[in-house]
Amino acid sequence: QVQLQESGPGLVKPSETLSLTCAVSGGSISSNHWWSWIRQPPGEGLEWIGEIHHTGSTNYNPSLRSRVTISVDKSANQFSLKLTSITAADTAMYYCVRQFDYWGQGTLVTVSS
Amino acid sequence: EIVLTQSPGTLSLSPGERATLSCRASQSFDSINLAWLQQRPGQAPRLLISGASNRATGIPDRFSGSGSGTDFTLTISSLEPEDFALYYCQHYGSSPPLYTFGQGTRLQIK
């Protein structure tokens, strides 16, 4: 059973960079799947941030592309998200996802000084 | 970018009743690119249906999806208590790659 676990700071200051990591267990990140980050502001809907394949190929949501980098670490079986120039609008639950069939439990990131 | 509009916003039904949730797209697309997700309170979403009508692993057969073009439907044949949740439809676009979601339908106990 594939499991995904997000980790990272729960509180980030405005203008800083948010960094999150998703550890994959029970399966290989080098399998032929796309690995995504999705976020959900409190009480709101879902927003796809972007995805990565183990080959390093990435796709990003055009609305966030200028601020997002997703990377993969095959040796650690994990992938990561960096989101720069954070504002309060980036406060959300952040989920890592394998091709929508497996989801992490999510990690709440609050942007506040 | 395709915009998905779900209706109704909130649906109030009783256990045992049939639920019909709608997802309408701003333009037509291949039904292989339509999925349905369920989100229970305090939980991550989970995949129910992919390709408009294919149940994901472990999803009970009371859940079914249908539709094509711009109109898609999720039907729950007989509601169980655990089915009262939020439901999202989701589209995958390939040029450029982009996943978008409907705003959600809240299914609540009447």
Side-chain angles (χ1 to χ4, degrees), chain A residues 20-97:
Chain A
L20 297 175
T21 296
C22 179
V24 179
S25 59
S28 173
I29 203 161
S30 296
S31 60
N32 192 26
H33 294 96
W34 287 85
W35 305 86
S36 285
W37 287 97
I38 292 168
R39 69 180 183 178
Q40 184 174 36
E44 297 186 23
L46 300 165
E47 180 180 36
W48 177 73
I49 299 170
E51 63 182 357
I52 190 164
H53 192 264
H54 71 86
T55 56
S57 182
T58 54
N59 297 303
Y60 298 129
N61 189 324
S63 68
L64 296 168
R65 179 179 290 125
S66 64
R67 299 195 291 132
V68 173
T69 302
I70 297 176
S71 59
V72 65
D73 183 345
K74 289 186 280 187
S75 65
N77 215 39
Q78 64 186 31
F79 64 109
S80 299
L81 167 71
K82 288 191 188 302
L83 184 63
T84 62
S85 304
I86 291 290
T87 71
D90 295 309
T91 292
M93 185 73 79
Y94 285 76
Y95 297 101
C96 59
V97 181

Side-chain angles (χ1 to χ4, degrees), chain B residues 9-82:
Chain B
T10 301
L11 184 58
S12 299
L13 294 169
S14 300
E17 289 193 294
R18 181 184 187 89
T20 302
L21 286 67
S22 173
C23 176
R24 178 162 289 179
S26 57
Q27 56 186 281
S28 180
F29 61 86
D30 191 335
S31 61
I32 196 172
N33 296 322
L34 192 282
W36 288 94
L37 307 170
Q38 177 196 64
Q39 187 175 30
R40 293 171 175 154
Q43 295 186 15
R46 69 164 176 163
L47 181 65
L48 293 178
I49 302 281
S50 63
S53 61
N54 303 305
R55 277 189 301 278
T57 303
I59 301 303
D61 61 6
R62 64 180 180 273
F63 291 91
S64 63
S66 62
S68 63
T70 60
D71 291 297
F72 299 89
T73 300
L74 174 69
T75 301
I76 311 171
S77 59
S78 179
L79 286 165
E80 298 288 341
E82 62 268 26

